[in-house]
Amino acid sequence: MKTNLYKFFAGLCLSSALVMTTGCIEETFPTNGATEDQLTSSNMATSAMLWAMPSVLNKYATISSSYHWDWGYGSIMHVRDVMTEDMAVVSSGYDWYSSWEQNQYQGEDYIYPQFIWNYYWQAVQTTNKLIAAIDLEAASEEQLGYLAAAHAFRAMFYLDMGRMFEFLPNDKTQGANVEGLTVPIVDENTTEQDSRNNPRVSREELADFILADLDFAEQNIEFLQESAKTLPHLDAVYGLKARLYMWLEEYDNARTYARQAIDASGLTPMTETECLSTTSGFNDISLWMWGSQMVSEDDVVQTGILNWASWMCNETSFGYSGQAPFIMIAPSLYDRISDTDFRKKMWKAPEGGMLDGETEFLTSSTFGNFGDRLAEYSSVKFRPAEGNCDDYTVGAATAYPLMRVEEMYFIEAEAAAQVGDAQAATLLNSFMQYRDPDYITNATGDELIEEIVFQKRIELWGEGQTFFDVKRLNMSVTRGYEGTNFPAEKRFNTNGRPAWMNICIVQTEKNNNAALIGFENPDPSDLYEPWVSEADSGNEGGSDTEE
């Protein structure tokens, strides 16, 4: 069997002291996303900068190719998912994400938050370079379209960072002097001198900055001539505003922009056939508002193993997850899904369950039928491109979603529920007819909000969004219970939002930015003890360490 996988040597380069790049200063500007045609066009410089933005989503080796989680935005989506209770990972020793899963090495001195920090700041610099390169007063309509896309990308990156790095109260760490603080703001006008004394800003200040970007994008995105869904368009701008207003708890605005995003998209929710297709299931960008698309020539595809399909598609012979860090849904979620909800078929049913045998699996020339190989609850939501599970140059040249219209339906419903609108249940029931014709809820108040968020978690499972809802709503993470499929060392149960969801700003940034000293998020590492069942109490659990 031909495979590029190799095991991780325990303890390799855990400290970020070896990583000398800083977040806000002297970042690398990626240009390898531009095609030859774009580079030879009459507006080649700004065109290259435009296409560098979707390219940075699949930026390979931000820190080093030695770290097999260093393959771009999709990896950070995966990081967020494994920090929730929704995605369990069973490992045979190949799980490079176990530090995030086990809440280890998450402090400011370690490589894991360094990756997140470096990735986002390099991405922000990509947008800043384009914005700085165009004279707004003299810009052509074509250039205004480029600027609108850059402002939308920058808004997405900052909205992610704000929600990830913002310190919010939790059951394990105290941070009174940093509560509500997010990240420094670096825009196209920020000098190196400014960056060296650039404090974290409040949620409100960062939100104002993001909103200004989105307002500009909304006003000018019509000039963007490129129709590719790897670039943001008006529906995505509205969608980002909906996400922003949910973070700010401005629910009327969130509801308004979610509806505008739905209407502007012209999309309807994916059908059962589209979701469950073995060849195009969740790898068809045309069905989404905004996504990332890889092609066979991309560096991440050429690696064979450092890409979305490798980590998110269990049905591959070339990827990591196919080798047995299977990604699985938690039984506590799966068991709550109605058997009449077709989404339940996106995971392998337990033997003897009502849906056992109802899911169609791919067949590999190496492994045979994956239905015989995968563990119960394993995901088949994300299929390799063209359903090709053996040739990475085809199967890994896939797409993954950044924003789907389905999310907007859930934002609209939750926002209505948050303000006590009696139409909230109707909105949820209406959407759920796309998923389960037998579904109906009469819940109200907090029970309805919880139900909306639960259905959203099922819908967006694996898409990197649940983290934000857990943190925003102060939800507990519960991985330890009878029947759990989380490995013993990952069975943490929290009282409200986990401390580990307040991502730490790294020491290397403090070395270059004095304003951050004394305003650190507390290190959450190793603060939770795994839950132990009565049957296992007194017995040592197994280890799922990297080898």
Side-chain angles (χ1 to χ4, degrees):
M1 178 180 68
K2 182 179 179 181
T3 176
N4 291 321
L5 299 181
Y6 61 86
K7 293 188 177 182
F8 179 69
F9 293 97
L12 174 64
C13 296
L14 285 176
S15 172
S16 64
L18 297 179
V19 181
M20 302 307 293
T21 55
T22 105
C24 303
I25 306 168
E26 300 296 330
E27 290 296 350
T28 302
F29 171 52
T31 57
N32 63 332
T35 67
E36 183 177 350
D37 286 344
Q38 290 154 4
L39 290 172
T40 56
S41 69
S42 59
N43 201 17
M44 64 178 184
T46 49
S47 179
M49 290 181 179
L50 173 72
W51 291 103
M53 292 184 298
S55 175
V56 81
L57 296 176
N58 299 300
K59 179 73 166 62
Y60 165 60
T62 302
I63 291 177
S64 169
S65 60
S66 298
Y67 301 105
H68 287 199
W69 31 251
D70 195 351
W71 48 270
Y73 190 81
S75 180
I76 291 178
M77 290 166 60
H78 190 51
V79 166
R80 291 198 297 256
D81 279 330
V82 300
M83 296 173 85
T84 71
E85 68 177 52
D86 295 6
M87 181 179 286
V89 180
V90 172
S91 176
S92 60
Y94 290 118
D95 184 10
W96 283 73
Y97 292 85
S98 64
S99 289
W100 286 289
E101 295 156 17
Q102 295 175 221
N103 187 35
Q104 294 180 328
Y105 313 116
Q106 297 302 304
E108 62 181 26
D109 293 325
Y110 292 99
I111 199 73
Y112 302 103
Q114 187 82 53
F115 164 57
I116 297 171
W117 186 258
N118 281 32
Y119 173 79
Y120 272 110
W121 285 112
Q122 290 192 21
V124 165
Q125 274 298 78
T126 304
T127 66
N128 284 342
K129 294 256 183 191
L130 189 153
I131 295 169
I134 298 176
D135 180 356
L136 180 59
E137 298 301 320
S140 65
E141 289 189 349
E142 181 180 16
Q143 290 174 329
L144 286 174
Y146 291 178
L147 282 171
H151 282 282
F153 265 107
R154 188 167 71 178
M156 181 183 75
F157 295 139
Y158 269 110
L159 183 55
D160 281 4
M161 284 195 292
R163 293 179 291 173
M164 293 175 72
F165 287 95
E166 179 186 20
F167 182 87
L168 292 178
N170 59 84
D171 61 345
K172 290 293 184 180
T173 60
Q174 302 296 318
N177 69 318
V178 292
E179 186 170 334
L181 294 185
T182 60
V183 295
I185 293 175
V186 177
D187 65 15
E188 69 279 11
N189 298 312
T190 304
T191 66
E192 180 173 340
Q193 183 177 359
D194 294 335
S195 292
R196 293 194 181 279
N197 189 26
N198 195 13
R200 299 173 68 177
V201 299
S202 67
R203 176 195 296 190
E204 292 74 22
E205 186 174 347
L206 184 61
D208 287 344
F209 177 78
I210 294 169
L211 185 58
D213 268 351
L214 293 176
D215 284 344
F216 181 93
E218 182 180 353
Q219 294 160 12
N220 294 283
I221 202 73
E222 64 179 302
F223 298 119
L224 184 63
Q225 299 173 11
E226 288 78 3
S227 60
K229 288 199 172 184
T230 54
L231 296 172
H233 297 280
L234 185 60
D235 54 348
V237 173
Y238 287 150
L240 289 171
K241 283 193 170 185
R243 288 178 180 176
L244 173 66
Y245 283 121
M246 288 300 284
W247 182 38
L248 299 176
E249 301 179 24
E250 296 184 20
Y251 297 117
D252 288 333
N253 282 333
R255 181 178 180 180
T256 294
Y257 281 103
R259 174 45 54 179
Q260 290 186 1
I262 293 168
D263 293 342
S265 74
L267 296 169
T268 55
M270 292 173 66
T271 66
E272 178 175 358
T273 298
E274 290 166 342
C275 288
L276 301 179
S277 170
T278 56
T279 57
S280 58
F282 283 89
N283 60 31
D284 183 352
I285 196 172
S286 71
L287 301 175
W288 311 324
M289 294 167 62
W290 191 9
S292 178
Q293 176 71 60
M294 286 157 282
V295 296
S296 60
E297 293 80 11
D298 286 341
D299 289 343
V300 288
V301 175
Q302 287 297 309
T303 68
I305 55 174
L306 305 190
N307 52 61
W308 178 265
S310 173
W311 284 105
M312 297 302 296
C313 302
N314 284 324
E315 298 169 290
T316 66
S317 62
F318 58 80
Y320 263 111
S321 60
Q323 305 293 329
F326 298 134
I327 58 170
M328 306 186 298
I329 191 171
S332 59
L333 268 72
Y334 179 89
D335 294 344
R336 184 172 160 182
I337 306 172
S338 170
D339 289 336
T340 54
D341 185 335
F342 76 76
R343 296 175 301 179
K344 201 168 186 177
K345 299 177 186 177
M346 293 191 291
W347 298 277
K348 182 179 177 180
E351 185 176 358
M354 287 293 294
L355 296 181
D356 187 13
E358 293 296 312
T359 296
E360 184 178 359
F361 298 93
L362 293 174
T363 298
S364 162
S365 60
T366 300
F367 292 136
N369 187 283
F370 277 95
D372 299 328
R373 175 177 175 80
L374 297 179
E376 294 177 350
Y377 304 106
S378 291
S379 168
V380 293
K381 175 177 177 178
F382 303 102
R383 309 283 190 164
E386 300 181 24
N388 193 318
C389 50
D390 292 318
D391 183 352
Y392 69 85
T393 66
V394 178
T398 188
Y400 59 88
L402 303 178
M403 185 181 291
R404 292 197 289 125
V405 73
E406 290 85 345
E407 178 189 353
M408 298 300 117
Y409 282 96
F410 286 107
I411 290 178
E412 181 183 43
E414 188 200 332
Q418 290 282 7
V419 297
D421 190 321
Q423 290 298 307
T426 301
L427 290 169
L428 178 60
N429 286 330
S430 177
F431 173 82
M432 286 300 294
Q433 292 305 301
Y434 290 105
R435 300 296 180 250
D436 179 1
D438 294 341
Y439 181 90
I440 189 167
T441 182
N442 296 309
T444 59
D446 290 344
E447 182 182 350
L448 176 58
I449 293 170
E450 193 280 333
E451 174 65 14
I452 293 168
V453 173
F454 168 76
Q455 295 297 344
K456 183 181 180 184
R457 289 161 66 190
I458 300 303
E459 183 69 34
L460 301 182
W461 186 93
E463 298 179 40
Q465 295 301 315
T466 294
F467 173 102
F468 297 127
D469 288 334
V470 171
K471 186 172 180 179
R472 171 174 62 89
L473 296 170
N474 195 21
M475 295 169 59
S476 298
V477 164
T478 304
R479 299 178 184 167
Y481 50 87
E482 297 297 336
T484 185
N485 56 356
F486 279 88
E489 64 279 2
K490 302 173 187 177
R491 294 175 182 172
F492 304 128
N493 295 336
T494 72
N495 180 20
R497 70 176 61 87
W500 65 72
M501 288 189 175
N502 296 319
I503 309 298
C504 290
I505 295 176
V506 290
Q507 178 66 49
T508 55
E509 186 63 26
K510 287 168 49 179
N511 293 344
N512 292 280
N513 183 356
L516 300 182
I517 298 172
F519 294 92
E520 303 91 351
N521 286 353
D523 184 354
S525 304
D526 301 311
L527 293 182
Y528 295 88
E529 291 293 327
W531 171 88
V532 179
S533 69
E534 291 186 9
D536 292 336
S537 60
N539 297 325
E540 282 193 30
S543 176
D544 184 31
T545 57
E546 294 159 329
E547 301 177 346

